[in-house]
Amino acid sequence: MKIAFFGAGQIGSALIKGMLHSNRISASEIYVKGGHSQTAANLQKELGFQLLTNLNDLFEMDLLVIATNNNNVLPILKSLPKTVLDKKIPIVSVAGGINLIEMTSVVGADYPVAHCIPNTPVQVGAGVLGVSFTKNIQPEEKEFILKSLSPLGAVYEVAEDDLGIVGSIAGCTPAFVAMLIESLGDAGVLHGLKRDLAYELVEQMLQGTATLALENKLHPAVLKDGVTSPGGSTIRGVAALEANNFRHALIAAIDATMSE
Ligand SMILES: NC(=O)c1ccc[n+]([C@@H]2O[C@H](COP(=O)([O-])OP(=O)(O)OC[C@H]3O[C@@H](n4cnc5c(N)ncnc54)[C@H](OP(=O)(O)O)[C@@H]3O)[C@@H](O)[C@H]2O)c1
């Protein structure tokens, strides 16, 4: 299985690292075409993949992943050699602002293209990926793309119109959760814990709470109620959060990510 990546910036490098982390693909099977800076070359020294300089080498690939900013996507598609287009090598674009219709207007309505929004935990195989497909895609092409993305985390097929909100609640939120870890860590330090230990306790708690919710398919309110004994410390904390508009703060934050 050979994968070519266009772009090795924030999300491109996270996707490449995730593929390597899974051990299902080796550095010798990953090819990266960088942009104008040394970003891709520097990452190549660290991870040992192949740098791609000749677009004709794309013919050897099984999958193309475009991880550049929006304005580069259509020019990249226009630059693909005819041999690649004729072979219909599946394309996955993770660029937020270029949709499937715009992409197929370049490569053709029957070309297998996916629009995917991943989050940065893909780099440790614990990502969330929303993915939408062109309407003419063949079932086996769709299966191949879904299987190829699966080492990166949990993959959800969604309508392309929903990719924005999927990107907000799963793609932007790692930043919010990092702030949550930092804040709860500060609280731990305030009450005498060593900083490293405080962060690790919070990180383990988040992972455990998410695992409990996922494995038992628990409604979040049931999870919360299970921790709040009458007159206890947790319900006092819940009331303090409500007094500080915790829920509204989060909903407003997601709302802000959705506005231009
Ligand atoms: N960051 C995230 O968490 C995230 C999540 C989901 C989706 N996305 C989407 O992913 C896209 C990239 O975001 P990013 O945060 O990774 O941006 P970024 O860090 O700026 O990376 C973009 C990379 O694309 C490279 N590039 C530009 N033109 C190229 C070309 N013609 N061929 C090959 N590579 C080229 C750039 O290389 P040079 O700098 O060397 O020119 C740069 O390293 C955006 O559309 C964003 O909406 C990002």
Side-chain angles (χ1 to χ4, degrees):
M1 163 93 171
K2 288 186 178 174
I3 306 181
F5 288 86
F6 288 82
Q10 299 281 6
I11 200 66
S13 62
L15 293 165
I16 295 165
K17 286 176 184 171
M19 288 293 178
L20 294 173
H21 183 271
S22 73
N23 285 327
R24 286 207 241 163
I25 187 159
S26 68
S28 62
E29 296 168 293
I30 292 180
Y31 292 72
V32 178
K33 164 91 178 62
H36 300 297
S37 75
Q38 285 299 304
T39 307
N42 290 340
L43 194 68
Q44 189 266 341
K45 285 187 196 119
E46 182 190 332
L47 301 179
F49 52 68
Q50 326 298 308
L51 280 177
L52 193 134
T53 47
N54 184 346
L55 290 184
N56 288 317
D57 293 345
L58 290 173
F59 184 74
E60 303 295 326
M61 301 298 136
D62 299 296
L63 181 70
L64 311 182
V65 177
I66 302 180
T68 64
N69 288 312
N70 297 330
N71 57 325
N72 304 117
V73 176
L74 299 182
I76 286 172
L77 293 178
K78 284 176 190 156
S79 74
L80 294 177
K82 186 172 180 307
T83 51
V84 170
L85 295 178
D86 288 347
K87 198 176 163 193
K88 284 196 176 175
I89 301 171
I91 296 173
V92 175
S93 168
V94 302
I98 301 294
N99 65 30
L100 290 166
I101 288 181
E102 290 169 291
M103 289 189 272
T104 49
S105 71
V106 177
V107 292
D110 291 331
Y111 200 97
V113 183
H115 188 187
C116 173
I117 299 297
N119 65 4
T120 49
V122 289
Q123 63 194 285
V124 289
V128 173
L129 303 93
V131 60
S132 309
F133 298 96
T134 43
K135 70 174 187 308
N136 293 347
I137 196 160
Q138 297 301 307
E140 61 277 13
E141 294 167 331
K142 193 193 263 197
E143 271 317 299
F144 174 76
I145 292 173
L146 289 171
K147 196 168 168 222
S148 303
L149 296 175
S150 66
L152 300 169
V155 185
Y156 298 89
E157 184 180 350
V158 296
E160 193 175 31
D161 284 348
D162 290 336
L163 275 183
I165 183 61
V166 170
S168 283
I169 66 164
C172 299
T173 42
F176 305 169
V177 171
M179 291 166 73
L180 180 81
I181 295 170
E182 200 183 10
S183 312
L184 292 175
D186 277 346
V189 172
L190 181 68
H191 286 272
L193 285 182
K194 288 203 166 114
R195 188 163 283 282
D196 286 357
L197 175 62
Y199 289 148
E200 200 170 317
L201 292 174
V202 176
E203 288 154 4
Q204 292 285 2
M205 173 278 296
L206 285 171
Q207 196 172 44
T209 308
T211 305
L212 182 62
L214 281 167
E215 285 191 6
N216 293 347
K217 303 230 174 301
L218 288 176
H219 188 288
V222 174
L223 251 179
K224 183 208 69 185
D225 291 354
V227 194
T228 48
S229 40
S233 53
T234 307
I235 195 67
R236 291 201 297 278
V238 167
L241 282 174
E242 295 294 9
N244 285 286
N245 284 326
F246 182 64
R247 287 167 199 256
H248 177 72
L250 290 173
I251 293 169
I254 295 298
D255 215 28
T257 67
M258 294 293 288
S259 60
E260 282 305 309

